[in-house]
Each structure stands twice: as C-alpha cells, then as structure tokens.
Amino acid sequence: MKLSRADTRADDDVIADLQASNSQLRESERRWREIFHAVPTAIYACDGAGRVIAFNQAAVELWGRVPCVGKDYWCGSHRLYRDDGTALDPALCPMAKAVRGEPFDDSSEVIIVERPDSTRRYVRPHPRPLCEADGSVAGAVNLVVDVTAEVLANQERLATETRFRRMADAAPTLIWMSDTHGQRVWFNRPWLDFTGRTAEQELGDAWMDGVHPDDRATYLDAFRAHFQSRTEFRHEYRLRRADAEYRWVLDQGAPNFAANGAFDGFIGSCVDITDQVAARRLLEEQHSLLEQAVRHRTRELAAASERLRLTDRLATIGTLSAGLGHDMGNLLLPVRMRLDAMEASDLPDEVRDDVAAIRKALDYLQRLTGSLRMLSVDPDREDAQVPTDVAAWWQEAEGMLLNGIPRTTALSADIEPGLPPIQLGKPALTQAIFNLVQNAGDALRTAVEGRVQFRVSRAPCGTCARLTVSDNGPGMSPEARARCLEPFFTTKTRALGTGLGLPLVKSIVARAGGSLEVESTEGGGASVTLIIPLAEPRPTIDPGLQGVAAVQCADPRVASYIDAMLAARRYAVRRAEPDDTTRVWITDRDGPEGLAAALAFLRDRPDRLVISLTDDADSDSGHPRFTRIGQGLRMSALRTALDRAMALAQLT
C-alpha cells in the first residue's frame, strides 16, 4: 500500500513527538537522579523482591559501604540492631515490612545501623511502598533520618537526670522541684521517707497537707511572691514527720532555667533545723533572762544606793536625837535644881501645887529625853545589850511613843506582872517598838478613835516573852501582808517613811534569838508579835550539853548515824517524842500531820530546830528553822546538810 505524502508527514510528526517526549523524560530522570543523590538524607529503594535497586550518596555515607545493586536485600547496612541493642534480622526491618505491605509506625521506631568499621548510628526509617497501577506492591522507597545526635543527647540527658536523682536521693536534705506553674512535680527519697507519704500523695499542692496549719498562709505568700519575681527565697515552717511530730525546716528555693534561658520552674531543698530553733529560742530566753537579771541588778544597785542614802539620813536623825536628848537634859538640870530650892522654901499652897505640876512635866520631859537617847544608841553595841525589864522600860519610853502617833489615837499597855527581863537591850527594844507604834499610828492617821495597844506576856513555852503591838486600823491588803517584811516596801505617805520598819524590827529580834509574827486582815486591824527569849536560865539536863535531841527514824542505820553525829556535837539523844527540854527534833514523819506537829514544836521557841527526813515536798513549811533534807542522801551529804541547818539556826 502506497502511503500518501500526508500520511508520511503525520508519521514523522508522531516520531518527532515521541523523540521529544523521550528526551524530556531522560532530562527529567537526570534531574531527579541529581536531586536524589544531592539530598543530604539517606534514601534508597528496593524492588518487589526486596533487592536494593537504588541509593544515594547519603545512604552510602550512612552505611559506610556501597551495596551491591540487585544482590543486597532490604538495606545496605553491615548489621542492624534494635534500639535496645539486640540484633535485628534484615528480613524484619521496616523496609522489609513496607515491601510486604505490612503496617509500620515510623513516628517512634529507632534502629541502629552498624558500619563495617563497627561504628554505629541511630536512625529513624520512613519506608513507603511503591505500587503498580493495579495496586500491587512493586517495591518500596525508604527515607532514613540519622538521629544519632538526638539519641545521644537524650541518653546524656537521661544519664544526667539519673545521676541527679541518685545524688538527690543520697543527699541528707529534702529536695523538691516545681513546674512553671508552681506545682510540685518531684520529691527526692529523703523527702518521702521524712513525710512517710508516696510521691503521688505529695504531687501538686497535696504536700501542703504536711505543713503546720499555722504556717501555711505565710509560706504560700512568701513562695508566690518569689515565684512571680523569679528570685531565691528562704523560709522556715513546721513540716509533719512520718511519726506525726512537726519539725522545723528551713526551705530554700531558687528559679531553674533551661539551656535556652527559658524559665523551667523552681528547685528547692529543706533541712531539719528543729534543734537550731530550740537552741535559738533558748538563747533568746537566756538573753531575756540576762536582761531581766541586769534590770534586777540595776534595781538592787539603786536600792543599795537608796539604802546608803537613808542610812545616812537615819544616822543624821539618830545624831539629832542624841543631841536633843543631851541638850534637853542640860536644860532640865538647872530647872530641876530651882524647883528643889523652891520646894525647900515656905511656899503658899497654890504655888506649891504649881511647882508640883511643873515637876510632873519635868519628869515627863526627862523620860522623853531618855527615850531619845535610847532611840539614838546603836543596838549592836555591847553595852546596849543588857537584858531589859519591859515594865520599867515602858515608864521611860511611853512619852516618846505617844509622840509617834496621832493625837486622836489612844496608846495603852498591858504588861504581865513579875515577868523576868527579856534578852534584848533597851536601845534595840526602843527602836523596835517605836517602829511598830509608828506604823500603827500611820495606819490610824485618819481614824476618829484609833487604839494602839502594847501587850507583854510569857509565851506558853515559858522561856520566851510575847511583845505584841496591835491596832484597830484598816489592816493590810493580801499584797501588803505578803510583802511587809521586804526591805523598802512601804505604804506610808509621811516624809520619814523609809520602808525599813518591819525588816529592821525583824533583824533586831533575830539577833536576839527571837522571831516575828504578823497577823492582819483587811478591815480587821494589824498585830505584830515579837517572840524574845527571857533572860532567866533555861532548863537543861546537863550544863556540859548543847541540849536534847529527839530522833525518830525508821531506818536503823540512818538513825544510828544521826545519833553519832549529834553525840559528837554534845547533844543528848532520845529515841522518843520531843518534850519541853528538846531543842532539836529529827523526824521522818511526813504528810500534813507531820508538818503540823513540827510547826507546833517550833511555835514560840526560837531556840528550836526541826530537820525532816521525808521526801514529801508538800512537807516544806517555809519556816526558817524547818529544814527538809530527804531520805535519799548519802551519809556525807546528810552530815553536811545537818551541820548547815544547825548553823543557820545558830545552835552549834
């Protein structure tokens, strides 16, 4: 068949089009090959049988070798391993699964490629099947991403985190971490051991359950303020321990920043500072006590200075009293002589009556002069300690005492007749009674009908006298009654009130071997009694003995030891109840009955002493001549305590 020119021309066009298409296809294939080999990520392809049919230069560099096209299966690696280090059969690798059409998750799986030189690389494969037009799998292409740097960085991070956790768990402190919202996200092992709770129980804000309720608000305020400002903080609070005891901890926190400078929460640590807090509080208490001691000592020094000033003032008053008494005596002598001369003359009766009245006034002034002299004499002078007949003394001192009380107050005396002299000199007795009468008069300064009474009688013991000054004044308040014997305590308003009255009287009586009792109630007046030994001889069983001691002790060993100690101190020892001749009573009788018996034994007898061997602290009386030394003492300690007690009572 002969083709026409038109048909020939049409065939030439088709051939030209095919040649152009082939040329474009070859150019396209060339460009794609250049791109394929220029891609920095490893890419390779396998046919439907799994044979490697193509790969780029990045794949060669990854594998460390050039695979044999059509002979190597699944990949060009020397060996394959899973990310846990176990060997991986190439027929089970991700590329093999893709060729077989099996599902594969390429978002997380990492495998290890080993090169011929034994070096390894971590890669993440991304295989994709190549399908024919009919949908059948003709092969697969795999994009292999080298993630070695990422994996090694993660491993280093995990290793660092593991080291940190181990170090934190081994640390002796409690460590915590928070997220960027301030929620606690991690606690070390010591923290969990301390609180006795699990990490799940502590996460978030749940750990605050262990903070003392009184400390929660202040801690949260401090933490939030520093969290917002991204600054370090220190705070103390109480944290409950596993045994339910709250312990003081010092919590120190600081902001944590990532490598790129981003804020990554807070990290903090707590240390138990309970002992330090206790020591600090003890130091504060000691500091407070020291300040109190300094203030107390300052007051004592001020009181001593005031005492010196008042002593000087009292000495001046004493000198003035002595001078007044001396001058009044000098003035009274010529007046008395003139009266004597006038009485010897022949006087009218009315003049003689006037002279008698003048002599009576002179006698009163003479007694007052003597009283002033007695008031000014040092009671500790040896010549001022002669025993005093109280009845005779009253005749001399009454006038002066009257001048110490208001004119609206009556002064009376009731002195037992035939009473022996007391073991107290006139100056000391004058100063003591003057103070008591003056105190009573001061209490009655606003009374319309005040009464001050001076009563003297023999005490029931027979060896002492009781000298009592009482008044019908307003009495003392409980505070004044409790403090009336304190130096410089006074409720007086007069200029000469020093606060030394009763303490001075007490010291005078104590030096004479006596004692002082004060009785008063609000609205019921006041009564002060001086118990002073009489100057007559005391009954004794043997002039060579110190006295009689009664010993009552259930422990025969202790009783025998006490007998020997008392005998060495020249005491006659009796194993019986005390009687009138007993001076020292050593007893193990305890309880209220024993204490009552001891106080009855001491009443009105300043020469007596009680030593209690009981361990009962309720048996303490506060009496100056009652000493409790207990039963648990050693013999040497018992001897020391006994000597000290007897020395304080001035019996040895």
Side-chain angles (χ1 to χ4, degrees), residues 96-109:
K97 294 180 179 180
V99 171
R100 292 193 293 267
E102 298 176 5
F104 169 72
D105 182 9
D106 61 0
S107 61
S108 60
E109 185 169 350

Side-chain angles (χ1 to χ4, degrees), residues 411-422:
L411 176 64
S412 62
D414 181 9
I415 302 175
E416 181 180 324
L419 188 70
I422 62 174

Side-chain angles (χ1 to χ4, degrees), residues 585-587 595 598-599 602 608-614 619-630 633 638 640-649:
W585 184 19
I586 302 178
T587 175
L595 180 59
L599 294 178
L602 295 173
R608 284 181 167 179
L609 171 70
V610 173
I611 299 176
S612 173
L613 301 177
T614 178
S619 297
D620 288 335
S621 70
H623 196 287
R625 287 176 283 111
F626 180 96
T627 303
R628 184 176 66 85
I629 60 178
L633 295 175
L638 179 62
T640 301
L642 181 62
D643 286 343
R644 184 183 299 112
M646 296 176 70
L648 290 175

Side-chain angles (χ1 to χ4, degrees), residues 208-272:
M208 288 291 295
D209 292 342
V211 179
H212 195 283
D214 294 343
D215 301 337
R216 291 175 188 170
T218 55
Y219 175 80
L220 283 176
D221 290 343
F223 176 73
R224 288 168 180 167
H226 288 276
F227 189 85
Q228 293 296 328
S229 61
R230 307 288 194 263
T231 55
E232 297 182 2
F233 74 93
R234 290 165 55 93
H235 194 82
E236 294 179 6
Y237 59 88
R238 285 163 289 181
L239 185 64
R240 187 175 59 238
R241 200 167 57 182
D243 59 2
E245 177 186 353
Y246 282 98
R247 304 284 293 179
W248 281 99
V249 296
L250 172 61
D251 194 346
Q252 301 182 85
N256 187 30
F257 296 95
N260 60 1
F263 176 63
D264 198 25
F266 259 65
I267 183 170
S269 64
C270 297
V271 292
D272 190 329

Side-chain angles (χ1 to χ4, degrees), residues 510-526:
R511 287 196 296 270
S515 60
L516 181 146
E517 298 175 354
V518 179
E519 297 179 3
S520 180
T521 57
E522 285 192 275

Side-chain angles (χ1 to χ4, degrees), residues 580-592:
D580 289 342
T581 64
T582 304
R583 292 186 63 190
V584 179
W585 184 19
I586 302 178
T587 175
D588 59 2
R589 186 185 302 178
D590 59 7

Side-chain angles (χ1 to χ4, degrees), residues 215-420:
D215 301 337
R216 291 175 188 170
T218 55
Y219 175 80
L220 283 176
D221 290 343
F223 176 73
R224 288 168 180 167
H226 288 276
F227 189 85
Q228 293 296 328
S229 61
R230 307 288 194 263
T231 55
E232 297 182 2
F233 74 93
R234 290 165 55 93
H235 194 82
E236 294 179 6
Y237 59 88
R238 285 163 289 181
L239 185 64
R240 187 175 59 238
R241 200 167 57 182
D243 59 2
E245 177 186 353
Y246 282 98
R247 304 284 293 179
W248 281 99
V249 296
L250 172 61
D251 194 346
Q252 301 182 85
N256 187 30
F257 296 95
N260 60 1
F263 176 63
D264 198 25
F266 259 65
I267 183 170
S269 64
C270 297
V271 292
D272 190 329
I273 58 169
T274 304
D275 294 340
Q276 293 90 319
V277 170
R280 184 175 63 203
R281 290 182 174 176
L282 178 61
L283 184 61
E284 291 173 352
E285 292 175 1
Q286 294 297 328
H287 181 71
S288 177
L289 291 175
L290 179 60
E291 289 183 342
Q292 294 177 12
V294 170
R295 289 194 295 269
H296 178 69
R297 183 56 178 163
T298 302
R299 289 194 296 267
E300 286 184 343
L301 291 175
S305 176
E306 180 68 9
R307 185 162 53 248
L308 289 175
R309 188 183 69 83
L310 291 174
T311 300
D312 182 68
R313 186 180 181 190
L314 292 174
T316 302
I317 295 174
T319 302
L320 178 61
S321 299
L324 287 174
H326 178 75
D327 292 344
M328 288 176 63
N330 291 339
L331 292 173
L332 290 175
L333 179 60
V335 175
R336 189 181 294 279
M337 292 176 64
R338 290 297 181 93
L339 286 177
D340 289 343
M342 291 176 66
E343 287 178 338
S345 303
D346 186 13
L347 298 174
D349 291 341
E350 61 272 13
V351 175
R352 191 172 295 279
D353 290 340
D354 291 339
V355 171
I358 293 173
R359 181 173 292 280
K360 184 177 180 180
L362 285 176
D363 290 341
Y364 175 80
L365 289 174
Q366 191 66 48
R367 291 195 301 272
L368 184 59
T369 300
S371 298
L372 287 173
R373 288 176 178 174
M374 286 188 292
L375 192 62
S376 64
V377 175
D378 183 359
D380 291 331
R381 276 173 39 183
E382 186 175 352
D383 59 354
Q385 298 181 11
V386 178
T388 302
D389 184 326
V390 181
W393 167 83
W394 178 257
Q395 296 300 319
E396 299 179 29
E398 181 182 10
M400 181 197 65
L401 296 175
L402 275 170
N403 285 278
I405 59 177
R407 295 184 181 275
T408 57
T409 300
L411 176 64
S412 62
D414 181 9
I415 302 175
E416 181 180 324
L419 188 70

Side-chain angles (χ1 to χ4, degrees), residues 490-560:
T490 180
T491 58
K492 293 183 179 181
T493 58
R494 64 178 62 183
L496 291 179
T498 65
L500 291 173
L502 284 179
L504 178 64
V505 173
K506 181 182 178 182
S507 65
I508 291 174
V509 174
R511 287 196 296 270
S515 60
L516 181 146
E517 298 175 354
V518 179
E519 297 179 3
S520 180
T521 57
E522 285 192 275
S527 175
V528 180
T529 299
L530 313 182
I531 304 172
I532 302 175
L534 294 171
E536 63 182 358
R538 299 176 183 175
T540 59
I541 60 173
D542 187 340
L545 294 176
Q546 288 277 4
V548 176
V551 178
Q552 294 177 318
C553 180
D555 189 330
R557 185 172 66 94
V558 176
S560 176

